[in-house]
Amino acid sequence: VWHYSGSYNRLVQTNGPALQVSISLNKVELSVGESKFFICTAIGEPVRLEWYNPQGERIVPSKRMSLHTETSRSRLIIYNAIIEDAGIYRCQATDASGHTEEASVVLEIYQRLTFQDVQSPQEFRHGETAEVVCDVISSPVPVVVWYYQDKEITEEHHSRFQVLANNNLQIHQVTKADEGVYRCEASVEARGEIDFVDIAVVVNVPPVLSVFQQSFNATADYQESVTFTCITSGSPDPMVTWHRKGQQLEPSEQYIFNRLEGGRSMLTIRNIRQGDGGTYSCKATNKAGSQERELFLKVFVQPHITQLKNVTAVEGSAAMISCVAEGEPLPDISWRRASDGQTFVDGDKSHDGRFEVRGRHGKSVLTISGVRLADLGRFDCEALSRIGGHQKSMFLDIEYIPKFLTNHTIYYSWEGNPVNISCDVMSNPPATMLWRRERFTISAEGTANTRVHSAEGKSVLEVTPMSDRDFGRYNCTARNNIGVRYQEFILAQADVPSNPYSVRLSAVSQRLATVTFMKPDSHGGVPISYYLVQYKEVGSQDWRDVKSHSVQTTVVLTGLEPNTTYEVRVAAVNGKGQGEFSHTETFQTLPIREPSPPAVHGQRGMGKAYRLGLVKQDDGGMPIVEYIVKYKTDKEEQWMTKLVPGANDFAMLQPLQWNTRYEVEITARNVKGLSEPTFYQFFMPQKPDITGKKSLFSGLGLGAVVGLGLGALLLLLVLVDVSCFFLRHCGLLMCITRTLCSKKTATSGKGKEIEEGKAAYLKLPLKEENGKESLKPDTIEIKVHSDNSIHTKPDDSKA
């Protein structure tokens, strides 16, 4: 039997039922990515159906190719076809005898228009060559055309634009003006297929950064703030960050960030301190790049002295005082000596060369050579700049060997009399003090007749001499860590003073005498306590004693008898006792006589009186009995006499005449007689003018004046009220009248005339327009009716 093979148009001779193979499709076009199945059918008795790929390889099932085979039927499924799947696929049937038949199908694979991962937007940097990617595939190769703003891009009209072989669009030196939406359109003419994609092109412009002010000044520790401002532009808007010392600054209480319109970014630094000074940077960053600008903050710092210590130096050595200060700018340092206000600055040297100042970089050293005790005290260090100043003080303490403060080294005493020998020392540091006697140290507890009393800078040795052995030399030793000093004291035996000499008598009167004398040549080693003056009448054996006031060498003897001869002698007394008396002197008091003329001074008294002050002079040895005062005017001959008791010290003359000169003669009288007169003149002035004019109320008190004023005001109110009563029919009087009339009408019969209609008339003189009374007899009638109303009408003659 001959069998016709459809696939290859041939005849196949078979034995038995003819084996025939057919495929549902002969030729198939398939787009990449699509899926397709093919059915292979065998007629006859096939024992096996198999498929072969274009490479002649038997197809086995896989993820993209699936086989479903039955006895005479097999289905081949191709999933997601790819270009490599194109070719001739064969289906082969085999019977039991091994005879095979096959059929084939041609599979053509083509690529549809496909845009692969086209990004939108696509970003480029300003000024670079941009390549807008449009990755489109198809088979056959598509034709690509670019459009911008609905117009086809051609190199003829767009010199900076070029479509590359890979269908991408190249833009030379792209600018912000090239931003927009570009269309990439692809077409396959063979299939009439066309498609497009819109691509947004974004041109990023690198940041441009500028600053208004690059350098700033501030003062530390004054709660000051400084604001840096950066102005940025760029696309997209740059992000601004602030940096210092390589570190990005973060918002905090000290760093405040602000961003305003117009690309202004601000950094505010609050509460500026010294450490905030230096360089800051403003950095603007976007996709196209970054730019950075530096700003500088200069922080001025108030001068501050950080190191100044008290210094202790040894007398005669050198002292170095150091003062360290900081600040911005660095301050100038000066020194001031508090004791005299003298100042020293860098490079200064005192006249004596002992003080010198050297300094640099905020440190100053004051060197004092040959330190003296006078240098002890406070020194002020002052740091000064144009920002301000700071001052601190230190104390220069000077240590020195003990110094004895007194040259009093000889003391006097006597047996049984205690004496204090004082050893006064000045030293720094304080000295320890010891007493020695003939190489033996006197303990602080003392001995039987010695005792030590100590205080700072002073040691007192109390010695009570008991015998001659206790007199002699005592040694005071003062010691500190600087050195040791000694001072020797002598305790000598005291004696009574020698006798005073040159005794003289002066101012001898009837009952008084003044004794003067010269001090003795020797006080016996002990200060003189007082002088003893003894006196007696010649021939008497009883001496009377008078002590001087302290050590005065003048003594006044009182209570003497007139016209009497006395003897006087003087002795000095000290702690040891009384010395010898001086040579005896003799003197005689004056006899009793008339008093001396009194001294007079005058003072005008009250009114026509004059007060004479009387000062008693020598009374002649007897009391003044009286003063005889005689006075008269310079124009009169006759004297007026006034007797004043001797105990009085003034005399009042009155009454006297005004504007008159008076002559006065005053005589003092005692029992012996009258003194010589004292003459005195005075003048009485003119009579004072006491007739001053007084006002009417000058004699009245404040209350009386106020009462009169109130009375006048009340009288004025009454007059006004009366005027209103008669002229205006109003006022307080009018109200009272109506009230009284009403009561009378209701309660009594006294108003019968009014009730009967009779009118009461009041005759008032007329007033002229100027307010004066008219001389005419014309009157105005005022009529009071029963209803208490008052009516007025002019006289008929006036009408």
Side-chain angles (χ1 to χ4, degrees), residues 112-294:
R112 294 180 58 188
L113 281 175
T114 302
F115 294 95
Q116 293 184 319
D117 299 327
V118 176
Q119 301 291 326
S120 180
Q122 296 185 28
E123 299 185 23
F124 305 97
R125 180 186 172 99
H126 177 83
E128 68 179 3
T129 298
E131 185 173 334
V132 186
V133 176
C134 182
D135 189 3
V136 57
I137 58 174
S138 72
S139 55
V141 175
V143 176
V144 175
V145 178
W146 287 86
Y147 293 90
Y148 179 58
Q149 296 179 351
D150 297 331
K151 294 181 180 179
E152 182 180 351
I153 296 175
T154 61
E155 294 183 12
E156 181 179 345
H157 295 92
H158 301 82
S159 58
R160 293 186 298 107
F161 294 74
Q162 181 182 359
V163 179
L164 303 178
N166 59 3
N167 296 323
N168 292 342
L169 176 63
Q170 186 180 74
I171 306 174
H172 294 278
Q173 296 182 348
V174 66
T175 66
K176 194 67 177 176
D178 297 328
E179 266 191 350
V181 177
Y182 290 75
R183 174 167 292 182
C184 175
E185 184 180 275
S187 62
V188 179
E189 187 176 355
R191 291 194 300 274
E193 186 178 6
I194 188 169
D195 198 1
F196 67 90
V197 63
D198 288 335
I199 303 172
V201 173
V202 176
V203 178
N204 294 325
V205 180
V208 177
L209 194 153
S210 61
V211 294
F212 281 146
Q213 184 177 347
Q214 195 165 8
S215 181
F216 295 82
N217 295 330
T219 304
D221 304 322
Y222 275 82
Q223 285 76 47
E224 290 190 5
S225 299
V226 165
T227 299
F228 297 144
T229 301
C230 282
I231 302 177
T232 60
S233 61
S235 182
D237 289 337
M239 181 181 71
V240 177
T241 55
W242 295 88
H243 301 261
R244 182 171 186 248
K245 295 180 179 180
Q247 300 293 325
Q248 182 175 333
L249 300 180
E250 299 295 336
S252 64
E253 290 187 0
Q254 185 181 15
Y255 298 121
I256 307 299
F257 298 91
N258 284 311
R259 186 175 180 92
L260 304 179
E261 294 180 356
R264 289 190 297 169
S265 295
M266 294 183 291
L267 166 63
T268 300
I269 307 173
R270 302 177 58 208
N271 297 329
I272 292 176
R273 299 184 295 269
Q274 181 177 3
D276 295 328
T279 301
Y280 291 76
S281 62
C282 171
K283 185 176 182 180
T285 305
N286 65 6
K287 295 179 180 180
S290 64
Q291 190 176 17
E292 190 170 0
R293 293 289 297 273
E294 288 187 345

Side-chain angles (χ1 to χ4, degrees), residues 424-496:
D424 298 321
V425 173
M426 180 178 68
S427 64
N428 186 28
T432 58
M433 304 173 69
L434 295 175
W435 287 94
R436 295 177 183 272
R437 167 78 167 153
E438 297 177 353
R439 300 183 182 179
F440 294 101
T441 301
I442 301 175
S443 64
E445 292 77 13
T447 61
N449 63 333
T450 60
R451 185 175 298 175
V452 178
H453 306 279
S454 297
E456 184 176 352
K458 187 182 187 74
S459 181
V460 177
L461 176 64
E462 180 183 349
V463 181
T464 305
M466 305 305 293
S467 65
D468 290 345
R469 294 181 55 188
D470 295 327
F471 295 95
R473 300 179 184 275
Y474 290 83
N475 183 278
C476 176
T477 302
R479 184 191 307 271
N480 64 7
N481 60 0
I482 306 301
V484 59
R485 287 283 178 87
Y486 309 93
Q487 187 170 33
E488 188 174 71
F489 295 87
I490 298 176
L491 178 59
Q493 292 195 50
D495 197 0
V496 294

Side-chain angles (χ1 to χ4, degrees), residues 339-405:
S339 61
D340 59 2
Q342 185 175 359
T343 59
F344 306 94
V345 298
D346 186 26
D348 276 359
K349 196 169 186 178
S350 63
H351 296 300
D352 58 6
R354 293 194 310 112
F355 288 79
E356 187 175 6
V357 178
R358 287 288 181 267
R360 58 178 299 183
H361 302 307
K363 180 177 181 180
S364 179
V365 177
L366 171 63
T367 302
I368 307 175
S369 303
V371 172
R372 302 171 183 171
L373 288 183
D375 300 329
L376 180 142
R378 192 187 83 223
F379 285 81
D380 302 325
C381 174
E382 183 178 26
L384 192 65
S385 72
R386 66 175 183 270
I387 303 302
H390 186 213
Q391 178 177 306
K392 274 189 175 182
S393 301
M394 58 79 62
F395 189 83
L396 175 61
D397 191 21
I398 299 176
E399 294 182 339
Y400 50 91
I401 194 169
K403 301 176 185 294
F404 294 102
L405 300 179

Side-chain angles (χ1 to χ4, degrees), residues 60-93:
V60 296
S62 65
K63 289 182 178 181
R64 288 200 314 105
M65 292 191 179
S66 175
L67 294 175
H68 299 278
T69 303
E70 300 174 358
T71 304
S72 58
R73 181 185 175 90
S74 179
R75 184 172 66 172
L76 170 63
I77 302 175
I78 300 175
Y79 296 101
N80 300 323
I82 61 177
I83 294 296
E84 288 75 9
D85 293 337
I88 298 173
Y89 288 80
R90 293 180 297 112
C91 176
Q92 188 180 75

Side-chain angles (χ1 to χ4, degrees), residues 498-514:
S498 61
N499 61 284
Y501 59 95
S502 297
V503 179
R504 297 286 187 270
L505 274 299
S506 62
V508 178
S509 65
Q510 287 83 0
R511 299 186 181 276
L512 300 176
T514 301

